[in-house]
Coordinates of all heavy atoms in Angstrom, one line a residue:
M629 N 123.1 62.0 170.8 CA 122.3 62.9 171.6 C 123.2 63.6 172.6 O 124.1 63.0 173.2 CB 121.2 62.1 172.3 CG 120.5 62.9 173.3 SD 119.3 61.9 174.2 CE 117.8 62.5 173.5
V630 N 123.0 64.9 172.8 CA 123.8 65.6 173.7 C 123.3 65.5 175.1 O 122.1 65.8 175.4 CB 123.9 67.1 173.3 CG1 124.7 67.9 174.3 CG2 124.4 67.3 171.9
S631 N 124.1 65.1 176.1 CA 123.6 65.0 177.4 C 123.9 66.2 178.3 O 123.3 66.3 179.4 CB 124.2 63.7 178.1 OG 125.6 63.9 178.1
G632 N 124.7 67.1 177.8 CA 125.0 68.3 178.6 C 125.8 69.3 177.8 O 126.4 68.9 176.8
V633 N 125.8 70.5 178.3 CA 126.6 71.5 177.5 C 127.6 72.1 178.5 O 127.2 72.5 179.7 CB 125.6 72.6 177.0 CG1 126.3 73.8 176.4 CG2 124.6 72.1 176.1
E634 N 128.8 72.3 178.1 CA 129.8 72.9 178.9 C 129.7 74.4 178.9 O 129.5 75.0 177.9 CB 131.2 72.5 178.4 CG 132.3 72.9 179.3 CD 133.6 72.4 178.7 OE1 133.7 71.3 178.1 OE2 134.6 73.1 178.9
N635 N 129.8 75.0 180.1 CA 129.6 76.5 180.2 C 131.0 77.1 180.1 O 131.8 77.0 181.0 CB 129.0 76.8 181.6 CG 128.7 78.3 181.7 OD1 129.0 79.0 180.7 ND2 128.2 78.7 182.8
N636 N 131.3 77.7 178.9 CA 132.6 78.3 178.6 C 132.7 79.7 179.0 O 133.7 80.3 178.9 CB 132.9 78.1 177.1 CG 133.1 76.7 176.7 OD1 133.5 75.9 177.6 ND2 132.8 76.4 175.5
V637 N 131.6 80.3 179.5 CA 131.6 81.7 179.8 C 132.5 82.0 181.0 O 133.3 83.0 181.0 CB 130.2 82.2 180.1 CG1 130.1 83.7 180.5 CG2 129.3 82.0 178.8
N638 N 132.4 81.2 182.0 CA 133.2 81.5 183.3 C 134.5 80.9 183.3 O 135.2 81.0 184.3 CB 132.4 81.0 184.5 CG 131.1 81.9 184.7 OD1 131.1 83.1 184.3 ND2 130.1 81.3 185.2
T639 N 135.0 80.2 182.2 CA 136.3 79.6 182.3 C 137.4 80.6 182.2 O 138.5 80.3 182.7 CB 136.4 78.6 181.1 OG1 136.2 79.3 179.9 CG2 135.5 77.4 181.3
T640 N 137.2 81.8 181.6 CA 138.3 82.8 181.5 C 138.4 83.5 182.8 O 139.5 84.1 183.0 CB 138.0 83.7 180.4 OG1 136.7 84.4 180.6 CG2 138.0 83.0 179.0
Q641 N 137.4 83.6 183.6 CA 137.5 84.3 184.9 C 138.0 83.4 186.0 O 137.9 82.2 185.9 CB 136.1 84.9 185.3 CG 135.5 85.8 184.2 CD 134.1 86.2 184.5 OE1 133.5 85.6 185.5 NE2 133.5 87.1 183.8
V642 N 138.5 84.0 187.0 CA 139.0 83.3 188.2 C 137.8 82.8 188.9 O 136.9 83.5 189.3 CB 139.9 84.1 189.1 CG1 140.3 83.4 190.3 CG2 141.1 84.7 188.3
Q643 N 137.7 81.5 189.2 CA 136.6 80.9 189.9 C 136.9 80.8 191.3 O 137.8 80.1 191.8 CB 136.3 79.5 189.3 CG 136.0 79.5 187.8 CD 134.8 78.8 187.5 OE1 134.2 78.2 188.3 NE2 134.4 79.0 186.2
K644 N 136.1 81.6 192.1 CA 136.3 81.5 193.6 C 135.1 80.7 194.2 O 134.0 80.8 193.6 CB 136.5 82.8 194.2 CG 135.7 84.0 193.6 CD 136.1 85.3 194.3 CE 135.0 86.2 194.0 NZ 135.1 87.5 194.6
P645 N 135.3 80.1 195.3 CA 134.2 79.3 195.8 C 133.1 80.2 196.3 O 133.3 81.3 196.8 CB 134.8 78.5 197.0 CG 136.1 79.3 197.3 CD 136.5 80.0 196.0
L646 N 131.9 79.7 196.2 CA 130.7 80.5 196.6 C 130.6 80.4 198.1 O 130.8 79.3 198.7 CB 129.5 79.9 195.9 CG 129.4 80.1 194.4 CD1 128.2 79.4 193.9 CD2 129.4 81.5 194.0
N647 N 130.2 81.5 198.7 CA 130.0 81.5 200.2 C 128.5 81.3 200.4 O 127.8 82.3 200.6 CB 130.5 82.8 200.8 CG 132.0 83.0 200.7 OD1 132.7 82.0 200.7 ND2 132.5 84.2 200.6
V648 N 128.1 80.1 200.4 CA 126.7 79.9 200.6 C 126.4 79.8 202.1 O 127.0 79.0 202.8 CB 126.2 78.5 199.9 CG1 124.8 78.2 200.2 CG2 126.6 78.6 198.5
G649 N 125.5 80.6 202.6 CA 125.1 80.6 204.0 C 126.0 81.5 204.9 O 125.8 81.5 206.1
V650 N 127.0 82.1 204.3 CA 127.9 83.0 205.1 C 127.5 84.4 204.9 O 127.3 84.9 203.8 CB 129.3 82.8 204.6 CG1 130.3 83.7 205.4 CG2 129.8 81.3 204.7
L651 N 127.2 85.1 206.0 CA 126.8 86.5 206.0 C 128.0 87.3 206.3 O 128.7 87.1 207.3 CB 125.7 86.7 207.1 CG 124.4 86.0 206.8 CD1 123.5 86.3 208.0 CD2 123.8 86.4 205.5
T652 N 128.3 88.2 205.4 CA 129.4 89.2 205.7 C 128.9 90.5 206.2 O 128.0 91.1 205.5 CB 130.2 89.4 204.4 OG1 129.3 89.8 203.3 CG2 131.0 88.1 204.0
P653 N 129.3 91.0 207.3 CA 128.8 92.2 207.9 C 129.2 93.4 207.0 O 130.3 93.4 206.4 CB 129.4 92.2 209.3 CG 130.6 91.4 209.2 CD 130.4 90.4 208.1
P654 N 128.5 94.5 207.1 CA 128.9 95.7 206.3 C 130.1 96.4 207.0 O 130.3 96.1 208.2 CB 127.6 96.6 206.4 CG 126.9 96.1 207.6 CD 127.2 94.6 207.7
N655 N 130.8 97.2 206.2 CA 132.0 97.9 206.8 C 131.5 98.9 207.8 O 132.2 99.2 208.7 CB 132.8 98.5 205.7 CG 133.4 97.4 204.8 OD1 133.6 96.3 205.3 ND2 133.7 97.7 203.6
A656 N 130.4 99.6 207.5 CA 129.9 100.7 208.4 C 128.4 100.6 208.4 O 127.8 100.1 207.5 CB 130.4 102.0 207.9
L657 N 127.9 101.1 209.4 CA 126.4 101.2 209.6 C 125.9 102.4 208.7 O 126.5 103.4 208.6 CB 126.0 101.3 211.0 CG 126.3 100.1 211.9 CD1 125.9 100.4 213.3 CD2 125.6 98.9 211.4
H658 N 124.7 102.2 208.3 CA 124.0 103.3 207.5 C 123.7 104.5 208.4 O 123.1 104.3 209.5 CB 122.7 102.8 206.9 CG 122.0 103.8 206.2 ND1 122.4 104.4 205.0 CD2 120.8 104.4 206.5 CE1 121.5 105.3 204.6 NE2 120.5 105.3 205.5
K659 N 124.1 105.6 208.0 CA 123.9 106.8 208.8 C 122.7 107.6 208.2 O 122.8 108.0 207.1 CB 125.2 107.7 208.7 CG 125.3 108.7 209.9 CD 126.6 109.3 209.9 CE 126.9 109.9 211.2 NZ 128.3 110.4 211.3
P660 N 121.6 107.7 208.9 CA 120.5 108.4 208.4 C 120.7 109.9 208.2 O 121.5 110.5 209.0 CB 119.4 108.1 209.4 CG 120.1 107.8 210.7 CD 121.4 107.2 210.3
V661 N 120.1 110.4 207.2 CA 120.2 111.9 207.0 C 118.9 112.5 207.4 O 117.8 112.1 207.0 CB 120.5 112.1 205.5 CG1 120.6 113.6 205.2 CG2 121.8 111.4 205.1
L662 N 119.0 113.6 208.2 CA 117.8 114.3 208.6 C 117.6 115.5 207.7 O 118.5 116.2 207.4 CB 118.0 114.7 210.1 CG 118.2 113.5 211.1 CD1 118.4 114.1 212.5 CD2 117.0 112.6 211.1
Y663 N 116.3 115.7 207.3 CA 115.9 116.8 206.5 C 114.9 117.7 207.3 O 114.2 117.1 208.1 CB 115.3 116.4 205.2 CG 116.2 115.6 204.3 CD1 116.1 114.2 204.2 CD2 117.2 116.3 203.5 CE1 117.0 113.5 203.3 CE2 118.0 115.6 202.7 CZ 117.9 114.2 202.6 OH 118.7 113.5 201.8
S664 N 114.9 118.9 207.0 CA 113.8 119.8 207.5 C 112.5 119.3 206.9 O 112.4 118.7 205.9 CB 114.1 121.2 207.2 OG 114.0 121.5 205.9
D665 N 111.4 119.8 207.5 CA 110.1 119.4 207.0 C 109.9 119.9 205.6 O 109.3 119.2 204.7 CB 109.0 119.9 207.9 CG 107.6 119.4 207.6 OD1 107.5 118.2 207.3 OD2 106.7 120.2 207.5
K666 N 110.3 121.1 205.3 CA 110.1 121.7 204.0 C 110.9 121.0 202.9 O 110.4 120.7 201.9 CB 110.5 123.2 204.0 CG 110.3 124.0 202.8 CD 110.6 125.4 203.0 CE 110.4 126.2 201.7 NZ 110.8 127.6 201.8
E667 N 112.2 120.7 203.3 CA 113.1 120.0 202.3 C 112.6 118.6 202.1 O 112.7 118.1 201.0 CB 114.5 120.0 202.8 CG 115.5 119.5 201.8 CD 116.9 119.6 202.4 OE1 117.1 120.1 203.5 OE2 117.8 119.3 201.6
A668 N 112.2 117.9 203.2 CA 111.7 116.5 203.0 C 110.4 116.5 202.2 O 110.3 115.6 201.3 CB 111.4 115.9 204.4
D669 N 109.5 117.4 202.3 CA 108.3 117.5 201.5 C 108.7 117.7 200.1 O 108.1 117.1 199.2 CB 107.4 118.6 202.0 CG 106.0 118.6 201.4 OD1 105.5 117.4 201.2 OD2 105.5 119.6 201.0
Y670 N 109.7 118.6 199.8 CA 110.1 118.9 198.4 C 110.7 117.6 197.8 O 110.4 117.2 196.7 CB 111.1 120.0 198.4 CG 111.8 120.2 197.1 CD1 111.1 120.8 196.0 CD2 113.1 119.7 196.8 CE1 111.7 121.0 194.8 CE2 113.7 119.9 195.6 CZ 113.0 120.5 194.6 OH 113.6 120.7 193.4
K671 N 111.6 116.9 198.5 CA 112.2 115.7 198.0 C 111.2 114.6 197.8 O 111.2 113.9 196.8 CB 113.3 115.2 199.0 CG 114.5 116.1 198.9 CD 115.7 115.4 199.7 CE 116.9 116.2 199.6 NZ 117.6 116.1 198.4
F672 N 110.2 114.5 198.7 CA 109.2 113.5 198.5 C 108.3 113.7 197.3 O 108.0 112.8 196.5 CB 108.3 113.4 199.7 CG 107.2 112.4 199.6 CD1 107.4 111.1 199.8 CD2 105.9 112.8 199.3 CE1 106.4 110.1 199.7 CE2 104.8 111.9 199.2 CZ 105.1 110.5 199.4
K673 N 108.0 115.0 197.1 CA 107.2 115.4 195.9 C 108.0 115.1 194.6 O 107.4 114.7 193.6 CB 106.7 116.8 196.0 CG 105.6 117.0 197.0 CD 105.1 118.4 197.0 CE 104.0 118.6 198.0 NZ 103.5 120.0 198.1
Q674 N 109.3 115.4 194.6 CA 110.1 115.2 193.5 C 110.2 113.7 193.1 O 110.1 113.3 192.0 CB 111.5 115.8 193.8 CG 112.5 115.7 192.6 CD 112.0 116.6 191.4 OE1 111.5 117.6 191.6 NE2 112.3 116.1 190.2
I675 N 110.4 112.9 194.1 CA 110.4 111.4 193.9 C 109.1 110.9 193.4 O 109.0 110.1 192.4 CB 110.8 110.7 195.2 CG1 112.3 111.0 195.6 CG2 110.6 109.2 195.1 CD1 112.7 110.5 196.9
A676 N 108.0 111.4 193.9 CA 106.7 111.0 193.5 C 106.4 111.4 192.0 O 105.9 110.7 191.2 CB 105.6 111.6 194.4
K677 N 106.9 112.6 191.7 CA 106.8 113.1 190.3 C 107.6 112.3 189.3 O 107.2 111.9 188.2 CB 107.2 114.6 190.2 CG 107.1 115.2 188.8 CD 107.7 116.6 188.8 CE 107.7 117.2 187.4 NZ 108.4 116.4 186.4
D678 N 108.8 111.9 189.7 CA 109.7 111.1 188.9 C 109.0 109.7 188.7 O 109.1 109.2 187.6 CB 111.1 110.9 189.5 CG 111.9 112.2 189.5 OD1 111.5 113.1 188.7 OD2 112.9 112.3 190.3
I679 N 108.5 109.1 189.7 CA 107.8 107.8 189.6 C 106.6 107.9 188.7 O 106.4 107.1 187.8 CB 107.4 107.3 191.0 CG1 108.7 106.9 191.8 CG2 106.5 106.1 190.9 CD1 108.4 106.6 193.2
Y680 N 105.8 109.0 188.9 CA 104.6 109.2 188.0 C 105.0 109.3 186.5 O 104.4 108.7 185.7 CB 103.9 110.4 188.5 CG 102.7 110.8 187.7 CD1 101.5 110.1 187.9 CD2 102.7 111.7 186.7 CE1 100.3 110.5 187.1 CE2 101.6 112.0 185.9 CZ 100.4 111.4 186.1 OH 99.4 111.7 185.4
D681 N 106.1 110.1 186.3 CA 106.5 110.3 184.9 C 107.0 109.0 184.3 O 106.8 108.7 183.1 CB 107.6 111.4 184.8 CG 107.1 112.8 185.1 OD1 105.9 113.0 185.1 OD2 107.9 113.7 185.5
K682 N 107.8 108.3 185.1 CA 108.3 107.0 184.6 C 107.2 106.0 184.3 O 107.3 105.3 183.3 CB 109.3 106.4 185.6 CG 110.1 105.3 185.1 CD 111.0 105.7 184.0 CE 112.0 104.6 183.6 NZ 112.8 104.9 182.5
E683 N 106.2 105.9 185.2 CA 105.1 105.0 184.9 C 104.3 105.4 183.7 O 103.9 104.5 182.9 CB 104.2 104.9 186.1 CG 104.7 104.2 187.3 CD 103.8 104.2 188.5 OE1 102.8 105.0 188.5 OE2 104.0 103.4 189.4
H684 N 104.1 106.6 183.5 CA 103.3 107.1 182.4 C 104.1 107.1 181.1 O 103.5 107.2 180.0 CB 102.6 108.4 182.7 CG 101.5 108.3 183.6 ND1 101.5 107.4 184.7 CD2 100.3 108.9 183.7 CE1 100.3 107.5 185.3 NE2 99.6 108.4 184.8
S685 N 105.4 107.1 181.1 CA 106.1 107.1 179.9 C 106.2 105.7 179.3 O 106.5 105.5 178.1 CB 107.6 107.6 180.1 OG 108.3 106.6 180.9
Q686 N 105.8 104.7 180.1 CA 105.8 103.3 179.7 C 104.5 102.8 179.1 O 104.3 101.7 178.8 CB 106.2 102.4 180.8 CG 107.6 102.6 181.4 CD 108.7 102.5 180.4 OE1 108.6 101.6 179.6 NE2 109.6 103.4 180.4
K687 N 103.5 103.7 178.9 CA 102.2 103.3 178.4 C 102.4 102.9 176.9 O 103.2 103.5 176.2 CB 101.2 104.5 178.5 CG 100.6 104.6 179.9 CD 99.5 105.6 179.8 CE 98.8 105.7 181.1 NZ 97.8 106.7 181.2
F688 N 101.5 102.1 176.5 CA 101.5 101.6 175.1 C 101.3 102.7 174.1 O 101.9 102.8 173.1 CB 100.5 100.5 174.9 CG 100.4 100.0 173.5 CD1 101.3 99.2 173.0 CD2 99.4 100.4 172.7 CE1 101.3 98.7 171.7 CE2 99.3 100.0 171.4 CZ 100.2 99.1 170.8
E689 N 100.3 103.6 174.5 CA 100.0 104.7 173.6 C 101.2 105.7 173.4 O 101.3 106.3 172.3 CB 98.8 105.5 174.2 CG 97.5 104.7 174.2 CD 97.4 103.9 175.5 OE1 98.1 104.2 176.4 OE2 96.5 103.0 175.5
D690 N 102.0 105.8 174.4 CA 103.1 106.7 174.2 C 104.3 106.1 173.4 O 105.0 106.8 172.8 CB 103.7 107.1 175.6 CG 102.7 107.9 176.4 OD1 101.8 108.5 175.8 OD2 102.8 107.9 177.6
K691 N 104.4 104.8 173.5 CA 105.5 104.1 172.8 C 105.2 103.8 171.3 O 106.1 103.8 170.5 CB 105.9 102.8 173.5 CG 106.5 103.1 174.9 CD 107.1 101.9 175.4 CE 106.2 100.7 175.6 NZ 106.8 99.5 176.2
R692 N 104.0 103.5 171.0 CA 103.6 103.1 169.7 C 102.8 104.1 169.0 O 101.9 104.7 169.6 CB 102.8 101.8 169.7 CG 103.5 100.7 170.5 CD 104.5 100.0 169.6 NE 105.0 98.8 170.3 CZ 106.3 98.6 170.4 NH1 107.2 99.4 169.9 NH2 106.7 97.5 171.1
K693 N 103.0 104.3 167.7 CA 102.2 105.2 166.9 C 101.6 104.4 165.8 O 102.2 103.4 165.3 CB 103.0 106.4 166.3 CG 103.5 107.3 167.4 CD 104.2 108.5 166.8 CE 104.6 109.5 167.9 NZ 105.2 110.6 167.3
T694 N 100.4 104.8 165.3 CA 99.8 104.1 164.2 C 100.6 104.3 163.0 O 100.9 105.4 162.6 CB 98.3 104.6 164.0 OG1 97.7 104.5 165.3 CG2 97.6 103.8 163.0
P695 N 100.9 103.2 162.3 CA 101.7 103.3 161.0 C 100.9 104.1 160.0 O 99.7 104.1 159.9 CB 101.9 101.9 160.6 CG 101.7 101.1 161.8 CD 100.7 101.8 162.6
L696 N 101.6 104.8 159.1 CA 101.0 105.6 158.1 C 100.2 104.7 157.1 O 99.1 105.1 156.6 CB 102.1 106.3 157.3 CG 101.6 107.3 156.2 CD1 100.7 108.4 156.8 CD2 102.8 107.9 155.5
S697 N 100.7 103.5 156.8 CA 100.0 102.6 155.9 C 98.6 102.3 156.5 O 97.6 102.2 155.7 CB 100.8 101.3 155.7 OG 100.9 100.6 156.9
V698 N 98.4 102.1 157.8 CA 97.1 101.8 158.4 C 96.2 103.0 158.2 O 95.0 102.9 157.9 CB 97.3 101.4 159.8 CG1 95.9 101.2 160.5 CG2 98.1 100.1 160.0
K699 N 96.8 104.2 158.5 CA 96.0 105.4 158.4 C 95.5 105.6 156.9 O 94.3 105.9 156.7 CB 96.7 106.6 158.8 CG 97.0 106.7 160.3 CD 97.8 107.9 160.7 CE 98.0 107.9 162.2 NZ 98.8 109.1 162.5
L700 N 96.4 105.4 155.9 CA 96.0 105.5 154.5 C 95.0 104.5 154.1 O 94.1 104.8 153.3 CB 97.3 105.5 153.7 CG 98.2 106.7 153.8 CD1 99.4 106.4 152.9 CD2 97.5 107.9 153.4
T701 N 95.1 103.3 154.6 CA 94.1 102.2 154.3 C 92.8 102.6 154.8 O 91.8 102.4 154.1 CB 94.6 100.9 154.8 OG1 95.9 100.6 154.3 CG2 93.7 99.8 154.5
L702 N 92.7 103.0 156.1 CA 91.4 103.4 156.6 C 90.8 104.6 155.9 O 89.6 104.7 155.7 CB 91.6 103.8 158.1 CG 91.9 102.6 159.0 CD1 92.2 103.1 160.4 CD2 90.7 101.6 159.0
L703 N 91.7 105.6 155.5 CA 91.2 106.7 154.7 C 90.6 106.3 153.4 O 89.5 106.7 153.0 CB 92.3 107.7 154.5 CG 92.0 109.0 153.7 CD1 90.9 109.8 154.5 CD2 93.2 109.8 153.4
A704 N 91.3 105.4 152.7 CA 90.9 104.9 151.4 C 89.6 104.1 151.6 O 88.6 104.3 150.7 CB 91.9 104.0 150.8
A705 N 89.4 103.3 152.6 CA 88.2 102.6 152.8 C 87.0 103.5 153.1 O 85.9 103.3 152.6 CB 88.4 101.6 154.0
A706 N 87.3 104.6 153.9 CA 86.2 105.5 154.2 C 85.8 106.3 153.0 O 84.6 106.5 152.7 CB 86.7 106.5 155.3
L707 N 86.8 106.7 152.2 CA 86.5 107.4 150.9 C 85.7 106.5 149.9 O 84.7 107.0 149.3 CB 87.7 107.9 150.3 CG 88.4 109.1 151.0 CD1 89.7 109.5 150.3 CD2 87.5 110.3 151.0
S708 N 86.1 105.3 149.8 CA 85.4 104.4 148.9 C 84.0 104.1 149.4 O 83.0 104.0 148.6 CB 86.2 103.1 148.6 OG 86.3 102.4 149.8
G709 N 83.9 103.9 150.7 CA 82.5 103.7 151.3 C 81.6 104.9 151.1 O 80.5 104.8 150.8
G710 N 82.2 106.1 151.3 CA 81.5 107.3 151.1 C 81.1 107.5 149.7 O 80.0 108.0 149.4
W711 N 81.9 107.2 148.8 CA 81.6 107.3 147.3 C 80.5 106.4 146.9 O 79.6 106.8 146.2 CB 82.9 107.0 146.5 CG 82.7 107.1 145.1 CD1 82.5 106.1 144.2 CD2 82.5 108.4 144.3 NE1 82.3 106.6 142.9 CE2 82.3 108.0 143.0 CE3 82.5 109.7 144.7 CZ2 82.1 109.0 142.0 CZ3 82.3 110.6 143.7 CH2 82.1 110.3 142.4
I712 N 80.5 105.2 147.5 CA 79.4 104.2 147.2 C 78.1 104.7 147.7 O 77.1 104.7 147.0 CB 79.8 102.8 147.7 CG1 81.0 102.2 146.9 CG2 78.6 101.9 147.7 CD1 81.5 101.0 147.5
V713 N 78.1 105.2 148.9 CA 76.9 105.7 149.5 C 76.4 106.9 148.7 O 75.2 107.1 148.5 CB 77.1 106.1 151.0 CG1 75.9 106.9 151.6 CG2 77.3 104.8 151.8
F714 N 77.3 107.8 148.3 CA 77.0 109.0 147.5 C 76.3 108.6 146.2 O 75.3 109.2 145.8 CB 78.2 109.9 147.3 CG 78.0 111.1 146.5 CD1 77.2 112.1 147.0 CD2 78.5 111.2 145.2 CE1 77.0 113.3 146.3 CE2 78.2 112.3 144.4 CZ 77.5 113.4 145.0
K715 N 76.9 107.6 145.5 CA 76.3 107.2 144.2 C 75.0 106.5 144.4 O 74.1 106.7 143.6 CB 77.3 106.1 143.6 CG 78.6 106.8 143.0 CD 78.3 107.8 142.0 CE 78.9 107.4 140.7 NZ 78.6 108.4 139.7
K716 N 74.8 105.8 145.5 CA 73.5 105.2 145.8 C 72.4 106.2 146.1 O 71.3 106.1 145.7 CB 73.5 104.2 146.9 CG 74.4 103.0 146.7 CD 73.6 101.8 146.2 CE 74.5 100.6 146.0 NZ 73.8 99.5 145.5
A717 N 72.8 107.3 146.8 CA 71.9 108.4 147.1 C 71.5 109.1 145.9 O 70.4 109.6 145.8 CB 72.6 109.3 148.1
L718 N 72.4 109.3 144.9 CA 72.0 110.0 143.6 C 71.0 109.2 142.8 O 70.2 109.8 142.1 CB 73.3 110.2 142.8 CG 74.2 111.4 143.3 CD1 75.4 111.5 142.4 CD2 73.5 112.7 143.4
K719 N 71.0 107.9 142.9 CA 70.1 107.0 142.1 C 68.7 107.1 142.7 O 67.8 106.8 141.9 CB 70.6 105.6 142.1 CG 71.8 105.4 141.2 CD 72.2 104.0 141.1 CE 73.4 103.8 140.2 NZ 73.9 102.5 140.0
W720 N 68.5 107.4 143.9 CA 67.2 107.4 144.5 C 66.5 108.6 144.1 O 66.2 109.6 143.9 CB 67.2 107.3 146.0 CG 67.5 105.9 146.5 CD1 67.6 104.8 145.8 CD2 67.8 105.6 147.8 NE1 67.9 103.8 146.5 CE2 68.1 104.2 147.8 CE3 68.0 106.3 149.0 CZ2 68.4 103.5 149.0 CZ3 68.3 105.6 150.1 CH2 68.5 104.2 150.1

């Protein structure tokens, strides 16, 4: 019975000790960028459009199409059902 597995992935890389609980400060503070109202509105609308497009491109209907075999099977079932109904209607 195997009691453990050796991790060989990190053996080729240099292993440095983890800094757990140590916070390293950034090199520089984030400098905010100011936009005019018109430009900010344009950028906001562009971001909203990108998010909307990305969300709607992930829908199941957009990613999957009905296979041709399923369509042909349904067509054959509909035709045979219609043929049976037509033949029954002729007998009456």
Side-chain angles (χ1 to χ4, degrees):
M629 174 186 252
V630 178
S631 62
V633 177
E634 187 177 327
N635 187 0
N636 294 329
V637 175
N638 291 329
T639 55
T640 57
Q641 299 172 353
V642 176
Q643 303 232 351
K644 35 186 200 176
L646 297 175
N647 294 330
V648 178
V650 177
L651 298 176
T652 52
N655 293 336
L657 295 176
H658 175 70
K659 201 170 203 177
V661 179
L662 300 177
Y663 296 104
S664 68
D665 187 44
K666 184 178 180 180
E667 189 178 1
D669 190 41
Y670 171 76
K671 286 189 178 282
F672 180 77
K673 285 181 180 178
Q674 184 66 33
I675 290 171
K677 180 185 176 299
D678 290 344
I679 291 172
Y680 178 83
D681 291 342
K682 189 67 171 175
E683 283 178 349
H684 284 35
S685 70
Q686 299 300 321
K687 281 189 175 179
F688 177 76
E689 293 86 17
D690 294 339
K691 292 196 299 188
R692 306 274 188 232
K693 293 187 177 181
T694 306
L696 185 61
S697 61
V698 173
K699 289 181 182 177
L700 291 176
T701 304
L702 290 174
L703 179 66
L707 287 175
S708 64
W711 180 255
I712 292 171
V713 169
F714 178 71
K715 289 300 239 178
K716 294 266 183 186
L718 285 179
K719 287 185 179 180
W720 286 350

